[in-house]
Amino acid sequence: MTDVQRWRRQGHDRLLAGRRIFTVDRPAQEEEDGPPLLLVHGFPTCGADWRHVLPLLGRRRRVLVVDLLGYGLSEKPDLPYSLDVQADVLEAFVDDVGLSGQPIVLITHDMGDSVGGELLARILDGRSAVVVDRRVLTNGSIFIEDADLRVGQKLLLAVGDRAVPLPAVQAMFRRGLPEVFGPHTQPSEEEMDLQWALLSHDGGQRLYPRLIRYLPERRRRQDRWTGAITAHPSPLTVVWGALDPVAGLGMAVHLKQQRPDLELVVLDDVGHFPMIEAPEAFADVVLAALT
């Protein structure tokens, strides 16, 4: 069985917001002791990022994971990818699993921080049935002016809708992903193979330049999304890999200046993917935040 098949066996497809979306709904392994956890991944990966922490976080919590539209095992249509659409997917997922109007914990990473920001903005606007009880946010460009984009990210933004040859996309991915990991927590070959297989599943590599357009959208809508991250009244824990070269630690410090009551936990030897690079440490922080 391949790693992709193992990931598929974790969940199943749902029709959400009119699209085929791969989801995982994992019941608590023991008696539940709090609201379910909704885990939201970033660019350019998918919900499989969380697979290392699922057994740890899911011992006494129901855990929900989604491959957002255009990512992983979900449908990959040829269309513009506004993060509004991704927030629609989250709302539909929460409703489909029977949790509308019930408290959940929102845990987000990378682009998922921005998707979560739109969801929180809708809640603050009174336009969403999702109830967020508590939040955990990890490395993402929540202040885009503070981000130090990699060469590959800039190239993808520059090509627009032009097709990028498959070998070039694969080379860009295999060079770019390890760059954002810590020097002592580099992804294994198994990790790299799985992430590429999921990115390129169903021809997904053709969408690579299109999906990254969330970055200019984030720049345009930062007041709404980061504003909601700051303003939503639920308790907020920020877990930050200090060696992230794109979303540096200064970004988390910037957020704490705007939301002084948040709890900031720094993982010193970790880069952009704490849930992959240091799953036990990451899970320990999350579980401590939930107590």
Side-chain angles (χ1 to χ4, degrees), residues 226-275:
T226 301
I229 289 169
T230 303
H232 192 278
S234 58
L236 173 60
T237 297
V238 174
V239 190
W240 212 267
L243 302 184
D244 186 340
V246 177
L249 181 57
M251 208 171 293
V253 173
H254 189 171
L255 182 61
K256 187 166 178 62
Q257 290 169 347
Q258 294 202 5
R259 174 74 183 253
D261 68 328
L262 68 78
E263 179 187 17
L264 173 59
V265 180
V266 179
L267 302 180
D268 291 326
D269 298 322
V270 174
H272 184 70
F273 284 90
M275 73 294 295

Side-chain angles (χ1 to χ4, degrees), residues 59-92:
R59 188 170 64 87
R60 301 192 67 182
R61 296 283 181 133
R62 181 182 179 186
V63 182
L64 308 171
V65 185
V66 60
D67 284 357
L68 293 170
L69 184 65
Y71 294 84
L73 298 177
S74 290
E75 185 178 349
K76 296 180 175 177
D78 186 13
L79 47 69
Y81 279 83
S82 168
L83 296 196
D84 282 319
V85 174
Q86 308 293 12
D88 290 344
V89 168
L90 291 188
E91 287 187 301

Side-chain angles (χ1 to χ4, degrees), residues 22 45 66 84 120 143 175 181 196 205 238 288:
F22 179 75
T45 51
V66 60
D84 282 319
L120 294 168
F143 297 100
R175 181 176 61 251
F181 279 65
W196 171 251
Q205 73 282 348
V238 174

